[in-house]
Amino acid sequence: MNVVYLRRLVIIVSVISLFLLSTYTYYYSPPSFSVSDFIHTMDSDKYLEKTISLSGTIRDPLVKENHLFFKVCSGATCVLGVIFNYKDFQKQMVFNNQTIKVTGKYTIFNKQKEIIVSRLDYVNT
Amino acid sequence: MLILEIIIGVFLGFVLGLVPNLHINTIGFLFILVGLLSLYPQNLFFFISVAVSQLVSSFVPSCLFGVPNDQTILTIFPTHKLFLEGKAKLAIFLCMVGCFFGVFFSLLLLPILFLIFNVLGSFSFFIYSAILFVLLMFVFEAKDLKNKLASLSIIVISGALGVLTLKTSYFLKEPLLVCIFGLFAAPFLLIAIFNNPKKVFQKEETPKSSVYFFTSLLGVFSSMFIILIPSFSSAQAGLVVSKIKNNLSSNEYIVLFSSIAISSLIFSFFLAFTFFKSRLGYIVVLRSFDIITLNINWLVFCLVVVISVCLSVLLVLLFIDDFILFVNNSNHRAINIVVFLISVFIIFSISGKSSLIFLLLSMFIGFLPIIFNKRRVILMSYIMIPTLLYYI
């Protein structure tokens, strides 16, 4: 074995590994819950600082300084959602009583649990 | 984003690894100082990439300047020999071979480590017997009584330094950083600075060697048992193996020790994710910021480790000619002075003013093998005796 051979081997292995990793992350789906199941049944603290998907109904959407705030609710149970620097199509998706699936990082801000939304999907009801 | 994390981590780790005498534990401390851990608490794979890449590139200062940290410490003995023969490029290449194949073997052996840890997790008898065996070998390999006594004295003195600095943390912060440099690197740097020996030009031809699959596997396998015991380092694994299998060539030793180093790091992460056991200060730091949790995606972990090693090995191989050119074209005395000053600066920054006394003390002890014409490896009793006393 020499430097050239090792270099080629390393390049091949790293390209294959990068491809596998990209494929995996592309097809990966974060854990998905309804809001009421997530808050009442699951150990929701386990998912802090992790990406999850929550399904529920939108309530009280509010635009403030280019950020979109709303609640994702299942019955009386709600989780605060926020989209920073929202896009127009996202604002169009977020309106009262719309059933939606939000995906993003579940975190705590000002002692309140919220989800920083990175993706919105319609849910067929 | 994950791939970006890995790439940034690899580049940062590569640069940090080129700084002589910088250990991954010190880097964890630096990350706390600059607030990196608070800013990016969910970027676990960035921190893994930094650790892996830093280890791979830290073999470069080990090979070229003879300045190790406690992960690369045993590689300086055979690599320094190759450096004096003008074969530093071969030494670096062999370290990369050991790292590259070591990572694959260690990932393959993770399930076995899981089983072994569950069964033998607290079975320390054979391990500290191995340490005692190695220490006795250091003494009895000397030919006459006078040489045996000289070896024993050096072992006792460096062991006493280890007990003083490692078992009690009243005197010194980061004692390993201070004493490893003082014992192993500083004496030779000072000799090189004041004697200004004849410059050894490093050959620039493409190095070639056998692959040493079995040696790499042996290194990973031994690391798997040593990692079970708290306070054991990869250096001790290397010593035990080198005594058991002592007909290895210099090339094989380099591959062995570099495989041990990389597999120890991977196994340390594995134990942290699976059993919440910390074997490295860096991992303790990551755990304290809740970056390490028990829910890790193992497929992603394996791929991140493989990609990090591949990219860092590639970077080293890409710049290997530049490193050799730099060493050949520069004033060796000036480089040694700069390396010495950087290391001392890092030591003072991390460990404070009290480190001066211990640095001087460890340097004096580090000169003892040179004066008595003994192998520097017996100074490893600095780590071995405190570990032995822990289990007796």
Side-chain angles (χ1 to χ4, degrees), chain B residues 247-361:
Chain B
N247 56 349
L248 297 174
S249 64
S250 293
N251 292 3
E252 285 174 300
Y253 271 123
I254 295 172
V255 171
L256 176 78
F257 296 143
S258 46
S259 298
I260 287 174
I262 193 75
S263 55
S264 289
L265 181 66
I266 293 168
F267 292 154
S268 299
F269 277 114
F270 175 79
L271 289 180
F273 292 130
T274 324
F275 301 104
F276 238 23
K277 298 283 183 195
S278 306
R279 292 287 186 264
L280 267 181
Y282 183 73
I283 292 179
V284 172
V285 164
L286 295 182
R287 275 183 59 188
S288 66
F289 281 81
D290 291 327
I291 295 172
I292 286 190
T293 62
L294 288 172
N295 299 317
I296 179 109
N297 186 317
W298 287 109
L299 176 63
V300 174
F301 171 75
C302 292
L303 288 172
V304 167
V305 164
V306 168
I307 292 168
S308 302
V309 163
C310 287
L311 290 178
S312 19
V313 166
L314 207 57
L315 281 172
V316 171
L317 293 179
L318 213 61
F319 289 106
I320 195 172
D321 289 328
D322 298 304
F323 297 141
I324 298 301
L325 209 64
F326 172 75
V327 167
N328 279 342
N329 290 342
S330 45
N331 184 330
H332 278 194
R333 183 185 240 176
I335 292 177
N336 288 328
I337 292 171
V338 167
V339 167
F340 185 83
L341 290 174
I342 288 174
S343 303
V344 170
F345 174 74
I346 291 171
I347 286 167
F348 275 6
S349 307
I350 306 289
S351 302
K353 289 179 224 171
S354 60
S355 61
L356 175 63
I357 300 166
F358 289 93
L359 181 61
L360 287 170
L361 178 59

Side-chain angles (χ1 to χ4, degrees), chain B residues 44-292:
Chain B
L44 166 68
F45 295 114
F46 164 77
F47 294 107
I48 293 177
S49 304
V50 168
V52 169
S53 179
Q54 189 271 341
L55 175 65
V56 171
S57 63
S58 67
F59 286 110
V60 174
S62 265
C63 294
L64 294 179
F65 309 122
V67 182
N69 53 49
D70 84 311
Q71 288 170 303
T72 60
I73 189 171
L74 282 180
T75 56
I76 66 162
F77 306 117
T79 54
H80 193 62
K81 181 170 171 267
L82 286 180
F83 180 85
L84 292 173
E85 291 171 11
K87 294 179 186 171
K89 197 170 174 180
L90 173 63
I92 296 171
F93 170 70
L94 288 167
C95 289
M96 296 304 107
V97 169
C99 286
F100 182 71
F101 290 105
V103 90
F104 286 101
F105 289 132
S106 47
L107 291 174
L108 286 170
L109 291 178
L110 285 180
I112 299 177
L113 176 62
F114 179 81
L115 291 170
I116 290 174
F117 192 85
N118 275 316
V119 171
L120 293 177
S122 53
F123 198 49
S124 54
F125 172 74
F126 287 122
I127 305 299
Y128 73 73
S129 300
I131 290 204
L132 201 55
F133 167 74
V134 170
L135 286 172
L136 290 170
M137 285 289 291
F138 285 154
V139 175
F140 287 101
E141 67 188 4
K143 291 199 169 46
D144 56 23
L145 182 65
K146 189 178 164 189
N147 282 315
K148 285 185 171 74
L149 283 172
S151 299
L152 182 64
S153 309
I154 296 171
I155 287 170
V156 167
I157 292 168
S158 52
L161 180 67
V163 171
L164 187 66
T165 54
L166 296 176
K167 300 307 270 184
T168 52
S169 56
Y170 310 127
F171 306 107
L172 199 57
K173 228 172 20 171
E174 300 296 329
L176 268 180
L177 177 70
V178 180
C179 295
I180 294 284
F181 177 73
L183 286 170
F184 293 97
F188 278 83
L189 279 173
L190 287 171
I191 288 171
I193 290 167
F194 289 106
N195 277 356
N196 200 17
K198 190 176 160 201
K199 189 169 173 173
V200 179
F201 277 94
Q202 302 305 318
K203 292 175 192 158
E204 292 174 25
E205 64 208 33
T206 308
K208 224 188 263 194
S209 90
S210 310
V211 178
Y212 304 122
F213 280 126
F214 176 72
T215 311
S216 184
L217 179 61
L218 179 67
V220 171
F221 209 66
S222 61
S223 178
M224 200 164 60
F225 286 92
I226 298 298
I227 202 76
L228 300 177
I229 312 301
S231 81
F232 267 57
S233 67
S234 52
Q236 284 149 315
L239 264 178
V240 171
V241 172
S242 65
K243 283 295 170 196
I244 294 168
K245 200 165 172 21
N246 57 8
N247 56 349
L248 297 174
S249 64
S250 293
N251 292 3
E252 285 174 300
Y253 271 123
I254 295 172
V255 171
L256 176 78
F257 296 143
S258 46
S259 298
I260 287 174
I262 193 75
S263 55
S264 289
L265 181 66
I266 293 168
F267 292 154
S268 299
F269 277 114
F270 175 79
L271 289 180
F273 292 130
T274 324
F275 301 104
F276 238 23
K277 298 283 183 195
S278 306
R279 292 287 186 264
L280 267 181
Y282 183 73
I283 292 179
V284 172
V285 164
L286 295 182
R287 275 183 59 188
S288 66
F289 281 81
D290 291 327
I291 295 172
I292 286 190

Side-chain angles (χ1 to χ4, degrees), chain A residues 1-25 28 46-50 105, chain B residues 2-3 6 42 93 96-97 100-101 104 206-211 293 295 297 299-300 303-304 306-307 310-311 313-314 317-318 320:
Chain A
M1 176 176 283
N2 58 30
V3 171
V4 172
Y5 180 79
L6 182 63
R7 216 178 271 170
R8 279 186 200 154
L9 185 61
V10 165
I11 290 171
I12 291 168
V13 169
S14 50
V15 165
I16 293 172
S17 305
L18 279 165
F19 173 73
L20 286 172
L21 189 62
S22 309
T23 311
Y24 181 82
T25 49
Y28 175 74
K46 194 170 77 168
Y47 294 95
L48 275 170
E49 304 305 325
K50 288 187 167 45
K105 190 174 80 168
Chain B
L2 175 60
I3 292 173
I6 296 167
Q42 63 272 28
F93 170 70
M96 296 304 107
V97 169
F100 182 71
F101 290 105
F104 286 101
T206 308
K208 224 188 263 194
S209 90
S210 310
V211 178
T293 62
N295 299 317
N297 186 317
L299 176 63
V300 174
L303 288 172
V304 167
V306 168
I307 292 168
C310 287
L311 290 178
V313 166
L314 207 57
L317 293 179
L318 213 61
I320 195 172

